Amino acid sequence: MWLNPEEVLLKNALKLWITERSNDFFVLQRRRGHGEPTGRITGLLVGALDTVLDSNARVTPFRILLQVPGSQISWVIASGAAIEEVNKHWDWLVHNLLHSLSVFENKEDVASFVKGKVKGLIAEEVRGRQAAQEDDPEKFREALLKFELHFGLPSSEKLVTYYSCCCWKGRVPRQGFLYLSINHMAFYSFLLGKEVKFVIPWAELTRLERVSTGLMTEAIRVNTRKRQREFSMFLNLNEAFGVIGQLADIALRRLLDSEGLELDRVLQQPTRITKRILEEQAIREYVLALFRLPRGEKLHEVASCSVWTPHARCHKAGTLYTTDSYLCFSSREEGNCILLIPLSEVQYLRHSLTEVSMNSMWYLRLTSSDFIKDPLSESSGEEIEEQVLRNTVNSEALMTAFHQNQPGTNGSKSMEQVKERRWEDHFTEFGRGVHMFRTEKIQRLVAMGIPESLRGELWMTLSDASSELESHQGYYTGLVQKSMGHSSLATEEIERDLHRSLPDHPAFQNPTGIAALRRVLTAYAHRNPKIGYCQSMNILASVLLLYAKEEEAFWLLVAVCERMLPDYFNRRVIGAQVDQSVFEELIRERLPELAEQVPDLTALSSVSLSWFLTLFLSVLPFHSAVCVVDCFFFHGIKAIFQLGLAALDANAAQLSFCDSDLVTKFGDLTVRQIERLRCRHRIQVLQAHEDTTKENALRVVTPDVSISAENLADVYDLFKTEHFISLYWGDSSSAAAAEAAAWRYGESGSYMERQYRLDRPQFKSLFGLLVPWPGGSNQHTDTLANRSFTLLDQDCSNLVTFKEFAFWLDTLYCEELNEKIRLLYRLHIPPVFDVMFYQSTNQCWPIVSALISYSVKVSCLPPQREFIQFCKTLYSMFHGDPEENDLFQAIATVTSLVLQIGEASHRGNRPGSEVTSQEEARGAETAKETAEDASRGDGSPAAESEWTVSYAQILASLLTEQALVNFFEKPVDLSAKIAVAKEKQYHQRAGLLTLHQGTR
């Protein structure tokens, strides 16, 4: 296979390679010991060396080198395990490149030419592999080439799919192609000689919706903070809308809240994302939500099948899903019949009859049983013919001692007995345990209220917490032992809320109930430090403890927090806010009259948020609220949406009771609809948090700078974009910087502190875009950027904050002449003096203000070489200025004057010394040479260690030249700089990253 060219200093190091074929530019070599008689000692040694190496480090036996005549360096450009494969590459080089290389006069151009060709071949192979995964590989390859050609993004910007569509500008459509990649959506059109193209990063997408107008039957509207775009297409509108929502959701979770919102392992590696992966992921999210499975479950197969239902004595058609630990069946009509079978409870599998038998003798009739075999094998680690059935379900309640006096419960024993008989009849007909049939009949039983004697058992069954308990025997006890006695912020909050949990219930008016609640909450905080403890968890845990044993209550809490209400109890309760946004859309759709009366539905969030966080336990009478919890464990979050809609639809006076019809009134709401809405509304919620983060950052910085609010907001956007660009395309240095930020701030740092910081390469890129002067040589600009970064990075974290960056930019654009000169002067004092200064001061003023405002002591004066570097910096700033010649002459005069001052000061430090006319002339000559060197960018002459000048002397000398004064006092339009930076930043940085990746 072709390889990215890699240098080899010694072509035949340690005689490990034997040359098989060669010419002036290429060498084909064989690894010694491969294909030789076994008796040769060198071959045995090399073979032994290759054998003991790790499999990832083993050397392929054949390789091709690129060699340049007269050079000791070669490059490995191809390798292979078989001689036939390498010979094909050799023949291609000989027939396509060898003749062309002979005409090059400069041999260095040979290496560049060949390496470029090899990289092109590798890129073509990558395109081919990616296209092979698509339904029409040739069309996808063609689209991939056009995507790369039109938009110039790095090769690592993977194209996922594309669609033919119209982009509307008012009433005018532009026919073209919509390209969807892992980080962007891009549109290209070329009609009647007019080209239209644009790129929208997913990180800028704030809202996604489907709209209808008079001209278009339906279109996809994409909103960013600055504008909106509408796309229509004749085919695949539903598919395109779903893919856009998925890609935007994945990108925003990865970029804006990778810590709070967990992604599937595949989605954590964006380069692995394909259209097929997205389709599988959408099904997986639906299955996890429908069956409330653990978030780590991997979906293996989906198959149409029918299940024999003994209660109906017929086959029910539907879909079977196989995951790591479960077989899941759902009828075609969602909720009509659901069956969940933990693989740990499978007793035997008979392939010949394609039947799966459980302990209750129920059978699944499948179109094929092959796809069941792999998950079973993976779960056990070996081929399975039979597994021992383990089905231990404990229905004993925890707080039986407080049952009789429990306020708000139904005191009629006869009603409870009726419920119990109905459930026992149901168990006889539909089965008992996790794998019982869940039909419309059980929905009616749940809506009537689960009898208290069975509530703990059924909660464990319906949530499948019983499977977690069975597979983690002793886990809870161990957590309690580890967590008790440890003090943390979570334990302090738990102690504060213990007596606020159902304070009117007798179970929590005594030490027994309080101690159990403390153990459950503390154990969970120890299990999941990311969540720790959040308010409302105490109310949930209290109710769970009333009807379940302590260990069961713990696993029920795990099921609620980690599976049934995902992302509800993280640092920013993103999941709850997403569902509030979904709830608002459902109100507009299902209750339009209410939506008209209350235009701003966000006001309802202050009320409805507690409904979702506490499952109505904090707002309904206890008996009614527990019935809601029953429905929640059966239906999942859908029950809370349905009840919330019913509550708003009903009269406020009717909210004091729980009618079974309330849950079913909006029964056509499905889990699939909720999951799709969640995907879209998560985008809006994350972007709302992003807006808040930006407002906080600007509020902190604005009082201390003179940059206008509009410009400062644009600088923030540039700063954030620079951060994102490296995340898009895998800049390793940025990854290291992100890791350093996480190490430095950990959980204690604010969200803003942990997120937007620039490392050195990112800072240098933005430095080049925003510095106010035209700039000289790239080498000197790079040096100045490095010094500026080091000056701002006072804590040696290799990161610069937006606050520090804004203060630095404010100095360059808005401060007085003397402050600008002071900042440039500070860039030329050795870093050791900066460290010494900050160790000896306790100033609270912002870092950059401190750097440019204090009086420089004699010990901080620059040596001569640093002053000469300072002069070079000024020369580089003048290149391209309309008054360039006058400025060069002025700085030459100032340089001569300051060098003479420094020389006089140095001579004056010696007893009895005087500055002679010869020495003065020599100083003037040195100044002239320095000026010439600076204008050419050459090295500076050697400086004496004790030669120094002060900032006041340099400033006074600069003020004598009006051309220099005018240059530094001339206002520079920051708005214009920002506008140019916006145009250049993306593709300039993309090109640099592509070049960087290509040279690795």
Side-chain angles (χ1 to χ4, degrees):
M1 62 179 177
W2 298 107
L3 303 174
N4 271 320
E6 183 178 351
E7 285 188 5
V8 180
L9 295 179
L10 298 175
K11 293 185 292 183
N12 203 21
L14 302 177
K15 303 295 183 181
L16 298 178
W17 295 90
I18 299 173
T19 298
E20 296 284 333
R21 304 169 71 176
S22 66
N23 54 45
D24 291 341
F25 298 99
F26 302 107
V27 179
L28 191 156
Q29 294 183 330
R30 170 175 57 83
R31 187 74 165 173
R32 187 178 293 278
H34 184 82
E36 293 181 351
T38 57
R40 296 189 178 181
I41 185 63
T42 55
L44 290 173
L45 291 174
V46 176
L49 175 65
D50 292 342
T51 300
V52 299
L53 288 176
D54 178 74
S55 58
N56 294 326
R58 289 178 186 172
V59 181
T60 54
F62 299 97
R63 70 179 184 179
I64 299 176
L65 301 181
L66 165 65
Q67 63 178 5
V68 177
S71 174
Q72 295 298 316
I73 299 177
S74 298
W75 291 268
V76 180
I77 59 174
S79 66
I83 187 63
E84 294 79 12
E85 178 187 4
V86 178
N87 277 336
K88 288 181 181 179
H89 291 342
W90 178 269
D91 293 340
W92 188 92
L93 292 169
V94 170
H95 289 98
N96 294 279
L97 294 186
L98 190 59
H99 177 71
S100 301
L101 298 181
S102 60
V103 302
F104 281 90
E105 295 182 0
N106 187 345
K107 299 306 179 183
E108 293 182 359
D109 293 340
V110 171
S112 299
F113 177 75
V114 174
K115 287 190 283 187
K117 285 289 185 182
V118 171
K119 290 176 182 177
L121 291 171
I122 294 172
E124 186 62 27
E125 286 182 353
V126 171
R127 294 190 196 101
R129 287 195 297 271
Q130 186 176 348
Q133 302 175 13
E134 303 298 323
D135 296 333
D136 193 336
E138 290 304 319
K139 284 189 177 180
F140 189 86
R141 184 193 295 266
E142 181 181 349
L144 184 57
L145 289 171
K146 289 181 179 178
F147 175 69
E148 294 175 352
L149 175 66
H150 295 326
F151 303 104
L153 300 176
S155 58
S156 56
E157 181 62 22
K158 183 179 180 181
L159 179 66
V160 176
T161 189
Y162 67 99
Y163 299 96
S164 174
C165 71
C166 283
C167 179
W168 291 80
K169 185 177 182 181
R171 295 176 177 267
V172 180
R174 296 287 302 185
Q175 181 65 38
F177 283 91
L178 182 66
Y179 299 90
L180 307 179
S181 66
I182 54 177
N183 297 305
H184 306 82
M185 65 183 303
F187 176 79
Y188 182 85
S189 172
F190 187 82
L191 290 174
L192 302 177
K194 184 176 181 180
E195 182 183 61
V196 175
K197 67 177 180 179
F198 55 82
V199 176
I200 303 175
W202 296 125
E204 294 183 9
L205 192 146
T206 58
R207 189 180 182 88
L208 177 66
E209 55 188 338
R210 295 172 67 163
V211 295
S212 298
T213 67
L215 295 175
M216 304 170 286
T217 56
E218 202 165 20
I220 299 172
R221 177 177 291 168
V222 174
N223 291 304
T224 65
R225 290 182 176 85
K226 296 183 178 179
R227 65 178 306 168
Q228 67 180 30
R229 306 273 189 180
E230 291 181 356
F231 304 92
S232 64
M233 54 192 73
F234 291 108
L235 301 174
N236 304 317
L237 183 72
N238 292 336
E239 178 186 295
F241 185 72
V243 172
I244 291 172
Q246 279 186 281
L247 287 172
D249 177 46
I250 292 168
L252 288 173
R253 282 197 280 174
R254 179 168 53 88
L255 296 171
L256 300 184
D257 203 4
S258 59
E259 185 178 296
L261 299 175
E262 295 182 1
L263 283 171
D264 184 68
R265 289 188 299 271
V266 175
L267 302 182
Q268 291 172 1
Q269 304 174 36
T271 54
R272 295 181 58 187
I273 296 176
T274 64
K275 184 179 174 183
R276 186 173 302 171
I277 291 292
L278 292 178
E279 293 171 352
E280 294 173 355
Q281 184 64 18
I283 297 173
R284 176 181 176 272
E285 291 289 340
Y286 169 68
V287 171
L288 294 182
L290 180 62
F291 298 97
R292 275 91 72 189
L293 301 181
R295 306 301 296 176
E297 284 292 301
K298 181 180 178 182
L299 181 65
H300 289 279
E301 292 288 345
V302 180
S304 297
C305 74
S306 61
V307 61
W308 172 256
T309 54
H311 56 275
R313 296 189 176 279
C314 66
H315 285 94
K316 181 73 70 173
T319 306
L320 183 68
Y321 306 94
T322 65
T323 70
D324 292 331
S325 307
Y326 297 89
L327 296 179
C328 310
F329 172 83
S330 176
S331 57
R332 289 176 180 173
E333 183 181 350
E334 183 183 294
N336 185 266
C337 181
I338 290 178
L339 184 61
L340 182 66
I341 308 172
L343 293 180
S344 60
E345 298 197 11
V346 173
Q347 188 174 21
Y348 62 87
L349 177 66
R350 291 189 294 184
H351 296 280
S352 58
L353 298 178
T354 66
E355 296 175 345
V356 178
S357 175
M358 282 69 63
N359 62 316
S360 301
M361 298 302 291
W362 296 334
Y363 297 87
L364 285 173
R365 186 174 68 185
L366 311 176
T367 56
S368 171
S369 65
D370 292 341
F371 70 95
I372 301 178
K373 182 177 179 180
D374 289 340
L376 288 172
S377 299
E378 290 174 10
S379 67
S380 64
E382 58 185 12
E383 293 187 2
I384 293 179
E385 286 295 330
E386 182 174 339
Q387 288 189 359
V388 178
L389 177 65
R390 294 179 298 155
N391 187 12
T392 304
V393 178
N394 195 323
S395 61
E396 182 183 353
L398 176 65
M399 296 285 186
T400 53
F402 305 96
H403 174 73
Q404 296 296 331
N405 298 322
Q406 182 175 320
T409 58
N410 191 340
S412 174
K413 293 184 178 180
S414 59
M415 178 61 72
E416 284 294 300
Q417 291 171 354
V418 170
K419 291 181 181 180
E420 290 173 1
R421 283 199 302 270
R422 289 178 177 177
W423 275 98
E424 291 297 337
D425 293 342
H426 183 274
F427 293 149
T428 301
E429 186 177 3
F430 294 88
R432 188 167 191 164
V434 174
H435 45 67
M436 68 180 171
F437 283 93
R438 305 179 192 189
T439 63
E440 292 178 345
K441 184 175 181 180
I442 195 175
Q443 293 184 37
R444 291 192 294 270
L445 289 175
V446 170
M448 292 171 61
I450 298 174
E452 295 185 1
S453 61
L454 297 175
R455 185 161 272 146
E457 173 190 347
L458 286 170
W459 285 359
M460 292 290 290
T461 296
L462 296 174
S463 66
D464 194 36
S466 57
S467 295
E468 292 284 336
L469 188 151
E470 285 294 318
S471 59
H472 295 83
Q473 292 290 334
Y475 177 80
Y476 174 70
T477 304
L479 272 183
V480 170
Q481 293 175 349
K482 292 178 183 177
S483 60
M484 297 309 289
H486 289 274
S487 179
S488 65
L489 179 61
T491 57
E492 292 175 4
E493 293 176 346
I494 289 171
E495 289 296 327
R496 189 166 55 246
D497 288 346
L498 284 176
H499 295 277
R500 303 174 185 174
S501 309
L502 303 183
D504 296 330
H505 197 286
F508 299 100
Q509 295 173 354
N510 68 87
T512 303
I514 294 297
L517 181 60
R518 177 187 293 112
R519 287 192 296 270
V520 169
L521 293 175
T522 305
Y524 185 79
H526 193 77
R527 164 190 167 86
N528 193 338
K530 284 188 176 181
I531 292 179
Y533 170 77
C534 296
Q535 287 188 346
S536 78
M537 288 174 63
N538 60 319
I539 298 176
L540 290 174
S542 299
V543 174
L544 298 176
L545 280 167
L546 288 176
Y547 298 102
K549 294 170 60 177
E550 185 175 316
E551 185 173 11
E552 292 174 344
F554 169 79
W555 287 110
L556 285 169
L557 185 64
V558 170
V560 171
C561 295
E562 298 178 10
R563 292 193 276 122
M564 304 185 73
L565 296 178
D567 306 319
Y568 261 58
F569 301 98
N570 60 17
R571 179 167 41 89
R572 297 187 292 162
V573 292
I574 293 292
Q577 293 186 55
V578 170
D579 281 351
Q580 290 303 295
S581 185
V582 171
F583 189 50
E584 291 173 17
E585 179 164 333
L586 290 173
I587 292 173
R588 294 187 186 93
E589 178 185 325
R590 305 297 182 100
L591 303 172
E593 294 181 358
L594 176 61
E596 290 179 4
Q597 296 174 6
V598 186
D600 185 13
L601 293 176
T602 56
L604 288 174
S605 296
S606 60
V607 176
S608 60
L609 181 61
S610 65
W611 300 353
F612 286 76
L613 285 172
T614 66
L615 307 180
F616 283 89
L617 289 167
S618 61
V619 294
L620 289 179
F622 182 81
H623 175 66
S624 299
V626 174
C627 291
V628 174
V629 178
D630 294 340
C631 295
F632 169 74
F633 276 116
F634 182 81
H635 291 282
I637 193 62
K638 180 175 73 171
I640 307 302
F641 279 112
Q642 291 171 335
L643 182 56
L645 292 170
L648 294 176
D649 191 35
N651 190 293
Q654 296 174 304
L655 296 182
S656 61
F657 68 92
C658 182
D659 190 347
S660 61
D661 290 337
L662 288 179
V663 176
T664 58
K665 184 170 184 179
F666 299 92
D668 59 334
L669 183 64
T670 65
V671 173
R672 192 182 298 274
Q673 291 173 334
I674 291 173
E675 286 304 303
R676 288 174 176 171
L677 289 171
R678 277 176 164 177
C679 183
R680 288 197 291 112
H681 284 271
R682 192 180 294 112
I683 295 170
Q684 296 172 221
V685 170
L686 288 175
Q687 291 289 22
H689 277 270
E690 183 65 13
D691 291 339
T692 302
T693 299
K694 179 178 179 179
E695 291 171 4
N696 291 338
L698 296 179
R699 184 167 57 250
V700 169
V701 174
T702 299
D704 297 320
V705 298
S706 301
I707 300 175
S708 68
E710 182 180 356
N711 283 343
L712 192 62
D714 287 337
V715 170
Y716 178 92
D717 292 338
L718 289 170
F719 192 89
K720 183 179 74 171
T721 299
E722 194 64 44
H723 172 83
F724 281 164
I725 286 174
S726 295
L727 295 180
Y728 292 156
W729 300 312
D731 188 358
S732 60
S733 60
S734 298
E739 184 177 349
W743 171 83
R744 178 184 169 194
Y745 292 97
E747 290 296 327
S748 61
S750 70
Y751 172 63
M752 182 184 70
E753 284 179 330
R754 286 205 309 276
Q755 192 168 19
Y756 298 132
R757 296 174 173 270
L758 299 187
D759 61 10
R760 191 177 295 268
Q762 294 167 339
F763 174 83
K764 287 163 64 176
S765 175
L766 207 52
F767 177 95
L769 291 170
L770 292 179
V771 286
W773 50 81
S777 65
N778 291 334
Q779 180 180 358
H780 196 78
T781 300
D782 185 75
T783 300
L784 193 59
N786 274 318
R787 287 181 174 233
S788 298
F789 182 85
T790 302
L791 183 66
L792 298 180
D793 180 29
Q794 286 296 306
D795 55 3
C796 300
S797 65
N798 288 321
L799 296 167
V800 168
T801 66
F802 172 70
K803 186 177 182 180
E804 294 164 340
F805 185 86
F807 288 150
W808 168 80
L809 198 66
D810 183 66
T811 302
L812 295 181
Y813 278 90
C814 303
E815 289 290 353
E816 300 293 333
L817 176 149
N818 62 323
E819 299 300 337
K820 296 176 183 178
I821 299 300
R822 191 189 298 272
L823 176 59
L824 293 172
Y825 179 76
R826 294 295 302 140
L827 296 178
H828 298 85
I829 294 178
V832 63
F833 295 121
D834 297 335
V835 176
M836 291 170 59
F837 172 76
Y838 282 101
Q839 287 176 343
S840 61
T841 59
N842 294 312
Q843 299 187 39
C844 297
W845 194 253
I847 292 176
V848 174
S849 297
L851 284 172
I852 64 177
S853 63
Y854 71 91
S855 299
V856 182
K857 299 180 180 181
V858 175
S859 60
C860 294
L861 300 179
Q864 187 179 38
R865 67 177 182 277
E866 293 299 334
F867 171 71
I868 293 173
Q869 184 66 36
F870 174 78
C871 296
K872 290 182 179 181
T873 296
L874 296 180
Y875 268 99
S876 70
M877 292 165 54
F878 302 150
H879 281 290
D881 190 275
E883 306 297 328
E884 181 178 6
N885 291 333
D886 292 342
L887 290 168
F888 284 164
Q889 185 175 357
I891 195 59
T893 301
V894 170
T895 303
S896 176
L897 177 60
V898 174
L899 285 173
Q900 292 179 48
I901 293 173
E903 186 70 21
S905 175
H906 176 50
R907 297 296 182 185
N909 289 334
R910 299 178 181 178
S913 64
E914 296 181 0
V915 180
T916 64
S917 58
Q918 291 85 355
E919 291 171 335
E920 187 176 299
R922 190 161 56 250
E925 184 64 26
T926 302
K928 181 179 178 182
E929 292 174 358
T930 301
E932 293 174 352
D933 290 340
S935 63
R936 295 193 306 267
D938 298 337
S940 60
E944 297 182 22
S945 59
E946 296 181 1
W947 187 97
T948 56
V949 291
S950 68
Y951 162 72
Q953 291 170 326
I954 293 177
L955 179 62
S957 301
L958 289 171
L959 291 176
T960 62
E961 296 293 331
Q962 190 61 41
L964 297 177
V965 173
N966 294 340
F967 177 83
F968 284 106
E969 289 186 342
K970 179 174 61 177
V972 181
D973 187 357
L974 179 57
S975 300
K977 272 285 184 181
I978 290 173
V980 173
K982 288 180 179 179
E983 294 294 326
K984 290 183 176 181
Q985 181 185 26
Y986 222 70
H987 290 286
Q988 172 178 301
R989 188 84 167 108
L992 289 173
L993 285 174
T994 302
L995 181 63
H996 175 64
Q997 292 166 357
T999 56
R1000 290 181 187 175

